[in-house]
Structure formats: C-alpha cells, structure tokens
Amino acid sequence: MSSPSPAPTYYIVFATVAVLVLKAVNEEATEPYMDEPFHIPQAQAYCKGDYWVWDPKITTPPGLYVLSLVLKKLFMLKCNLPMLRLTPMLSLLTLPIALTPLVSYHKRERPPPSLATPLLEAVILASFPLAWFFGFLYYTEVPSLVSVVSSVVLAMQGRHWLAALIGLVSCTFRQNNIIWVLYAYALSQVLYLRFRRAAPNEKPPARLHDPPALEASPVDLLWSVLSAPRVLPDILTNFVPYALVLAAFGAFVVWNGGIVLGDKANHVPAFHVPQLYYFVGFATAFGWPALLSGGGGASALLRSVATRMFGSKRNAAVTCVVCAIMCLTIHKFTIQHPFLLSDNRHYTFYLWRRVFLLHPVVPYLLVPGYIACAWAWYLRIGHDQTLLQNLLLPVFVVPTLLPTPLLEPRYFLIPYILLRVQVKDVPLWGLVLEGLWYVGINAVTMWVFLYQERAGVGRFMW
C-alpha cells in the first residue's frame, strides 16, 4: 500500500498557522488599522443593506464588501472586525489551490487530482510575505490575487468565457486588474500558438515567429511583430469575452470620470518610470532562492548575466546606453509621494530615507544592479520559454506600475507571483530555502506588527 502524499500535510500546516495568526491579530489589533477604518464601516453598511452609502475616501470598487456579504449570508457570520478579517484569510487559504494548476501548467505536469492536495510550491508561494501579511487585515490584496490567478488558469485551459467573468470579478477588487484580464488572454494565446498542431491530412496552421527566449535577438522580436497579422484570425474569436469585459471597464471609466473611485487628489496617475526598476529590485530581493537554484547555481547565473551585459563590445555598449537612459529617467521621473515621505508606519518610509536619500548619487549607483537583476530573471525563466512568453509579463507590468506615483510594495504582489511561477525547475532544496526565507520574513514582520507598537507612531507594516 502506497504512502499518502505529503501535500495535504503542507497545506494543513499552512492553514493551521494562518488560523493561529488571525487569532493573534484579532487579539492584539482590536481596532481597525491603517486602511481598515475606511473598509470596515463600508462593509458593515453593505451588511445592513445600505448599498448606496459610499465613503469618498475609498479608492477601489466594492468587491471586497460584496464577498464579505456573500460569506455572511452563507455562513451566518457577523460583520464585526474579526469576522470581516476572515474574508481575506479565507482567500489566503484558497490561494495554494488556485496556484497549483498554474504552477503545474508551467511545469507541464498534470495538477493533483484533488483540490485538497495543492503542490508544495503553491503552498510556499501562497506564503509570500505580502500575500501572507495582508491575508489577516481587511484589505483587497489577497482576494484580488486569487481572482487574477484563477482568471489566468482558466484562460490557459481554454475556458475563455469563464476566465473573462472571473477577470471581471477581479476588477471589482482593484481596477487595474483589467490589465491582468488582458494578460490572461494574451498568455493563453501565445501558448496556444506555440503548441498547436495541424490535424492529420490538414494544411499546417499559420505560425507566429517566436523562437526560444535564450536564442532570440532583437531582430527576432521584429519578426514576431511582422508575423502577428497572419495568426490574428485564429485568435480573435477567443478575444470576444475579454472584449466585453474591456468594454464594461471603459463604460465604468466614462461614468466615473477616471479609474480611481475616491480620494482622487492623492491618487493622480503619473509617469513614474523608476517604479519599474523598484519592482525588479523587489522581485530579486524576495525571489533570490528561485533565481539561484537553477543549473550551475549562483556562479553560472552570474556568469550568464555578465556575458549578457559585458560579454562583447556590442553588449557593453548597449549596457552603457541603457544605463544612461535609466539614469535620465531617474533624474526626470522620480516621484517622492507625500505619503512615502510622511507615513513612518511603513517599511518603505525607512527604505527611502536610509537608502535612496542617503546621498543624491545612490539612486544612480543602483542602475547596473537593476539591469543585472532584470537579466537574471530573463535568463532564469527563459530556459523553456519562447521570446514572447518571456516578454509578455514585462509588457503588461508597464501599464500596471508606470502610472502609480506611490512606492507601495502591495502593487508588486500580482506581478511578482506571475513572474515567480514561470521558474519551472526549482529543486526541492531551492523550495525549502525559499520557504524558510518567506517564513523568516513573515515571522519578523508579523511579530513587529503585533508586539512592537510604538506610542505616537503605531504598528509597522508593509
């Protein structure tokens, strides 16, 4: 008789710890904190049936409150602070289940037959510090992430109408998830075009020029663009449900007079180019175990990055030009949002003051590091991907992050998860290292939040 899969054990431990952490949060943080004073009364109004009451300071749609209302109706829950915090925590518990088919798809493996046996890698990714932390506060982050991941999975399975519907739901948590709805469609079609084959006795289908990522050159990208028109008739039909979601979103923007619902004065879209660089640094700081666990280890990856940056005169020249352009964008488009400079309850406040403001030259000294990190990710995910697969996520990250004026780690959550799942060959020791890294960060940040409250300042958080 075969031994049972250990996967349920991982998930049971994950769920048990999550329940215990939520209990601790509710015991220590007995009053709504940070953004919760806006979200909690709004949710309670919905619980009372006051659907037309709206706090003008709230910037996101009411998906979170509707989800809490559904849970209240299904399980007869109260709408007090502890019960409302149960909404993101339950979303956190569903995250490994949602991530498992996505991880399996990138690995080209069959997902486990039961929803109760999520992959170890999916459980570890669900423990990612930003997802974990905001799984215990009444914020939109985790429900938003779960819905986006589910939409991507359904699109990759070819269930486009359902994918578009879940994508529409995701936009009720955060408006900019409309970008990830389009990403779900684009990724599914790039993979469809890569793997489709002609039926017996049929003419071969039109091909999209999409060579392996690590063998491609800039000229290949041009050929990919030029070859796109010949495959468009084969993929436009699948775009119909996503087009309807896009039209609905456009109608919302026209009706609302913009994307942001409330507090528009503090959420004016900007041209914040360095935000893209911060994301690359953020992804590397958190994802280094996955980066360094490839074949050959850290030394092989560093050599490959050095070759791409300085391996020839042409590479060195391109690197220098890119450095110059990035330095110019840092000089012209760095934004120091008032919230970043004034709110000392966030880690970014201290990061900005103690690193970026240490000396005027520091932001420019980081530029070669940003480039090296970007190459490291490109090389790591590119072992079994095509050029367009590698470039697709960055294309959609740009409109997601570029307009955001505030350096806010929460904005990096969805892009990071979608990037990390593309690393398909992390060995067991790499997963263990990644898990320990996440657990260590989670333990410290949650301990600081719960037990290191400072008088006159408050609790520290992401």
Side-chain angles (χ1 to χ4, degrees), residues 198-355:
N201 303 319
E202 286 191 4
K203 184 175 70 173
R207 305 297 297 177
L208 177 68
H209 182 78
D210 193 13
L214 301 188
E215 300 173 10
S217 69
V219 175
D220 286 303
L221 181 58
L222 176 61
W223 283 115
S224 295
V225 173
L226 294 176
S227 69
R230 63 175 177 248
V231 300
L232 281 179
D234 300 330
I235 62 175
L236 281 179
T237 302
N238 291 333
F239 184 64
V240 171
Y242 304 95
L244 295 177
V245 174
L246 192 60
F249 183 80
F252 160 76
V253 172
V254 172
W255 168 80
N256 185 55
I259 293 179
V260 178
L261 272 174
D263 197 22
K264 295 182 180 180
N266 288 315
H267 295 83
V268 178
F271 194 69
H272 194 188
V273 180
Q275 188 85 299
L276 304 173
Y277 313 151
Y278 306 149
F279 169 66
V280 172
F282 169 92
T284 306
F286 283 96
W288 62 267
L291 277 178
L292 301 183
S293 61
S299 59
L301 182 63
L302 291 174
R303 285 195 300 269
S304 297
V305 169
T307 299
R308 293 280 178 159
M309 292 179 67
F310 306 110
S312 67
K313 291 182 178 180
R314 187 193 70 171
N315 289 2
V318 170
T319 299
C320 290
V321 170
V322 172
C323 278
I325 294 172
M326 291 175 65
C327 287
L328 180 62
T329 59
I330 288 172
H331 176 68
K332 291 288 187 180
F333 302 114
T334 293
I335 297 175
Q336 300 188 67
H337 195 281
F339 290 174
L340 176 64
L341 298 176
S342 62
D343 196 340
N344 60 354
R345 296 168 296 177
H346 292 286
Y347 295 121
T348 48
F349 172 88
Y350 301 95
L351 175 67
W352 191 258
R353 287 182 173 271
R354 296 178 183 179
V355 177

Side-chain angles (χ1 to χ4, degrees), residues 22-34 36 40 68 71 78-91 134-139 449-450 459:
L22 180 62
K23 180 176 181 291
V25 170
N26 286 329
E27 288 174 350
E28 295 295 329
T30 57
E31 298 294 330
Y33 191 68
M34 198 63 73
E36 286 184 325
I40 296 294
S68 294
L71 293 175
K78 296 181 180 180
C79 275
N80 54 24
L81 178 61
M83 289 299 101
L84 287 174
R85 283 175 176 165
L86 195 61
T87 301
M89 198 276 280
L90 290 175
S91 300
F134 288 104
F136 306 106
L137 297 176
Y138 198 63
Y139 276 61
F449 176 77
L450 292 177
R459 301 181 185 275

